[in-house]
Amino acid sequence: MTTSIASPAAAPTAAVPGPAAVIDTGRVAGLIHQLLAELGEDPAREGLTGTPDRVAAWWNAFLSRDGAATATCFTESQLGGQLVIVGGMSVWSLCEHHMLPMNLQVTAGYVPDGEVVGLSKFGRIAQHFAARLQVQERFTRQVAEYLNGVIGHEDVTVAVRGLHLCMSMRGVRMEEARTTTVHSGGRFGTDPVLSQQFLTLTTGLWGAP
């Protein structure tokens, strides 16, 4: 397992991501047809008929991000100092180095200050930043910085545990390898007790590899 920990002195507020570019699915299908031919396949044979169109449709659906990252907050004035952890979020993304899938298990923690974030929004935010060519380290930072902007302060931490097929099915082919990234800000970067509480509960949610 590889672990990287980032604790920026002043994490910038993440901007609301803009709309994805329009994808020409017809052209993508043509490129997939060409790829199959270059790989020695017959795109017209039984089993591959329609495959270029299906692959193009998948790329279009996967990369068509919407405004799902919009988060709702609710006023809760009696929760100062409480640690909130949202875990069990599993999203798929694509490694931009090899264009192979990676499964990312996401856990986010924050300290409320007068309001709480709607729980379902954590999963939507994770899905939003996963729907692109990515690297796990950047994904972790993007989710954390976006939450900073939603919550209005930097007492946010995000941990991600990734299974990368570019490591499991190519190269060294280590199927049990996992990569862990942690992005911590505010009190999570300065309070070792708070940080340890989050990491202990997070590793408990993940369980054994």
Side-chain angles (χ1 to χ4, degrees), residues 117-139:
V117 181
L119 296 178
S120 66
K121 301 305 179 182
F122 286 88
R124 294 186 184 278
I125 291 169
Q127 288 176 334
H128 186 88
F129 286 106
R132 62 191 69 182
L133 297 177
Q134 267 287 19
V135 295
Q136 181 177 330
E137 296 85 348
R138 184 193 308 132
F139 169 83

Side-chain angles (χ1 to χ4, degrees), residues 87-93 102-107 123 126-127 130 161:
M89 296 176 285
S90 178
V91 296
W92 286 94
S93 189
M102 53 183 176
N103 180 249
L104 306 174
Q105 297 181 53
V106 184
T107 303
Q127 288 176 334
R161 185 170 185 257

Side-chain angles (χ1 to χ4, degrees), residues 66-82:
D66 53 24
T70 302
T72 303
C73 295
F74 303 92
T75 300
E76 289 288 345
S77 59
Q78 305 300 316
L79 294 181
Q82 185 177 105

Side-chain angles (χ1 to χ4, degrees), residues 58-59 62 91-104 130 132-136 162-170 177:
W58 176 83
W59 274 106
F62 182 79
V91 296
W92 286 94
S93 189
L94 287 173
C95 165
E96 66 182 35
H97 300 144
H98 304 96
M99 296 180 70
L100 288 173
M102 53 183 176
N103 180 249
L104 306 174
R132 62 191 69 182
L133 297 177
Q134 267 287 19
V135 295
Q136 181 177 330
L163 166 62
H164 297 250
L165 294 194
C166 58
M167 189 174 185
S168 299
M169 66 179 294
R170 61 166 296 282

